[in-house]
Amino acid sequence: MANGTATPTDLDTGLEAYRTELTGYCYRMLGSSFEAEDAVQDTMLRAWRSHDKFEGRSSLRSWLYRIATNVCLDMLTAGNKRARPMDLTESTPLAQAALSPRPDNTWLEPMPDGRVLPTTDDPAEAAVAKESVRLAFMAALQNLPAKQRAVLILREVLAWKASEVAELLDTSVASVNSALQRARATLAERRQPGADAAVSDPLDEDQQKLLDRYMAAFEGYDMTALTALLHEDAIMTMPPFDLWLTGADDITGFMTTLGAPCAGSRLAPVQVNGMPGFAQYKPDPESGGFTPWAVQVLEISEGRITGFHCFLDTERWFPLFDLPLHLEGETDQVEEGA
């Protein structure tokens, strides 16, 4: 796209080609699905307004990343830091469980893979991209100062050269290398729950069988079967509530007490944060059929489920995943989400 020669259609097409990867970048920076999409929209608007000043000394991609980085850094100046329940409180025994919500801007948010993971033919590149949007890695990024966060993402996730990052951030290569070293040290010191979670891409036979068994156990509300699938130190979270539970006994105990209305739920597979997950619909006693209840993100390690994270703000999450807000009857099927 030469300076001054691009038509509006050419410019729109050129900008849109980078929307998914920019959304992934802004999501890693901000920890929020909706703030990431707002940041990308702002980036596109700024690029559109100033495209006549783009002199082509760098690539269009580099120019867009410079704009997106500045947008994200501006959004992060307020010191907002997204978290998971286990980043804020101690694990609560079931006997003391209480559902205390916190504001939306407290929480690390889920994101459909399709909105942040560009298509690639390189399996290694795809694996890195998936690992870099997993909840544990996203939570770890929140411990970094904003510019260290940008350096780590650009260097380690997107494989930019130190010189390219230095140019983007208007700093020196030595400064970039120092920031990367400090960021790596911080992540090593603050290893996050769920960091060992790993799945094949695509799922291998054993992983798929585990998910099939989980789906059958959950829809059947069979706590014995579910217990057999959970790691002894499995974690359950339920944002916007700050409660989190550890161990199969407390998790299944919660599900049969405070969580008892979820019996009879339907699950629909979704791809979320580089991990398998499900959209959960629970029975709707008032209008019949099923109503949205949660987007579940599962963490898997060594053949067991180690993390079971339920995001309950369904009026926000289900449209984001292109999922219907109601299911009729008992035989309707749900299409897989984005």
Side-chain angles (χ1 to χ4, degrees):
M1 184 175 64
N3 183 32
T5 64
T7 67
T9 300
D10 290 338
L11 183 60
D12 282 339
T13 301
L15 296 178
E16 283 300 318
Y18 295 101
R19 181 174 292 274
T20 299
E21 65 173 281
L22 284 172
T23 304
Y25 176 62
C26 293
Y27 175 59
R28 295 178 185 101
M29 284 290 293
L30 301 170
S32 163
S33 317
F34 298 104
E35 286 184 2
E37 296 200 330
D38 288 346
V40 172
Q41 199 58 36
D42 191 4
T43 297
M44 297 296 188
L45 184 58
R46 292 189 192 189
W48 176 267
R49 287 174 174 170
S50 61
H51 76 278
D52 58 328
K53 299 177 183 177
F54 174 56
E55 299 176 353
R57 288 182 301 209
S58 62
S59 68
L60 176 62
R61 181 174 184 252
S62 297
W63 183 59
L64 288 172
Y65 269 90
R66 175 187 287 269
I67 298 172
T69 299
N70 289 332
V71 169
C72 290
L73 292 177
D74 287 345
M75 294 175 73
L76 289 168
T77 53
N80 48 325
K81 177 181 175 181
R82 298 280 173 161
R84 299 180 298 171
M86 53 275 214
D87 303 321
L88 302 177
T89 66
E90 295 297 324
S91 178
T92 305
L94 178 60
Q96 301 172 19
L99 298 178
S100 303
R102 297 202 187 193
D104 290 341
N105 63 6
T106 304
W107 303 114
L108 188 64
E109 297 179 347
M111 180 65 105
D113 286 0
R115 289 182 181 260
V116 292
L117 300 179
T119 302
T120 176
D121 294 328
D122 184 341
E125 183 180 324
V128 169
K130 280 198 167 188
E131 289 170 4
S132 69
V133 294
R134 289 180 183 162
L135 293 174
F137 184 76
M138 293 288 298
L141 288 175
Q142 299 297 302
N143 292 311
L144 301 178
K147 285 195 175 181
Q148 283 187 30
R149 201 179 303 180
V151 168
L152 184 83
I153 296 166
L154 290 166
R155 291 282 286 119
E156 304 247 304
V157 177
L158 301 177
W160 284 41
K161 297 177 182 177
S163 58
E164 294 171 329
V165 178
E167 182 179 357
L168 182 146
L169 294 175
D170 291 323
T171 189
S172 66
V173 170
S175 178
V176 167
N177 289 336
S178 176
L180 179 59
Q181 186 176 8
R182 293 195 304 273
R184 286 171 172 166
T186 299
L187 295 193
E189 290 170 3
R190 303 184 183 183
R191 188 167 179 78
Q192 298 290 315
D196 294 329
V199 293
S200 304
D201 185 19
L203 297 176
D204 64 32
E205 184 178 357
D206 289 341
Q207 291 166 348
Q208 187 58 59
K209 285 181 179 178
L210 176 65
L211 293 180
D212 291 344
R213 291 169 63 197
Y214 169 80
M215 187 171 181
F218 194 96
E219 290 188 335
Y221 232 59
D222 183 340
M223 296 300 113
T224 300
L226 186 60
T227 296
L229 306 179
L230 296 174
H231 189 276
E232 61 181 8
D233 296 323
I235 289 173
M236 179 181 182
T237 68
M238 293 163 284
F241 301 116
D242 58 14
L243 170 73
W244 62 284
L245 302 165
T246 304
D249 288 347
D250 276 3
I251 291 172
T252 56
F254 178 88
M255 292 175 66
T256 53
T257 53
L258 291 175
C262 290
S265 289
R266 292 283 189 85
L267 298 182
V270 294
Q271 296 300 315
V272 51
N273 286 89
M275 300 294 286
F278 294 94
Q280 178 192 346
Y281 292 81
K282 73 174 184 176
D284 186 344
E286 295 184 2
S287 59
F290 300 84
T291 190
W293 184 246
V295 170
Q296 302 179 358
V297 184
L298 302 188
E299 292 171 335
I300 298 171
S301 180
E302 297 180 353
R304 294 290 183 92
I305 294 169
T306 56
F308 171 44
H309 306 290
C310 303
F311 293 88
L312 304 182
D313 191 353
T314 53
E315 289 186 1
R316 302 173 77 213
W317 305 132
F318 275 53
L320 184 72
F321 283 79
D322 297 323
L323 291 161
L325 292 176
H326 187 78
L327 292 184
E328 297 291 345
E330 294 188 358
T331 59
D332 294 330
Q333 299 296 315
V334 185
E335 295 295 329
E336 182 170 333

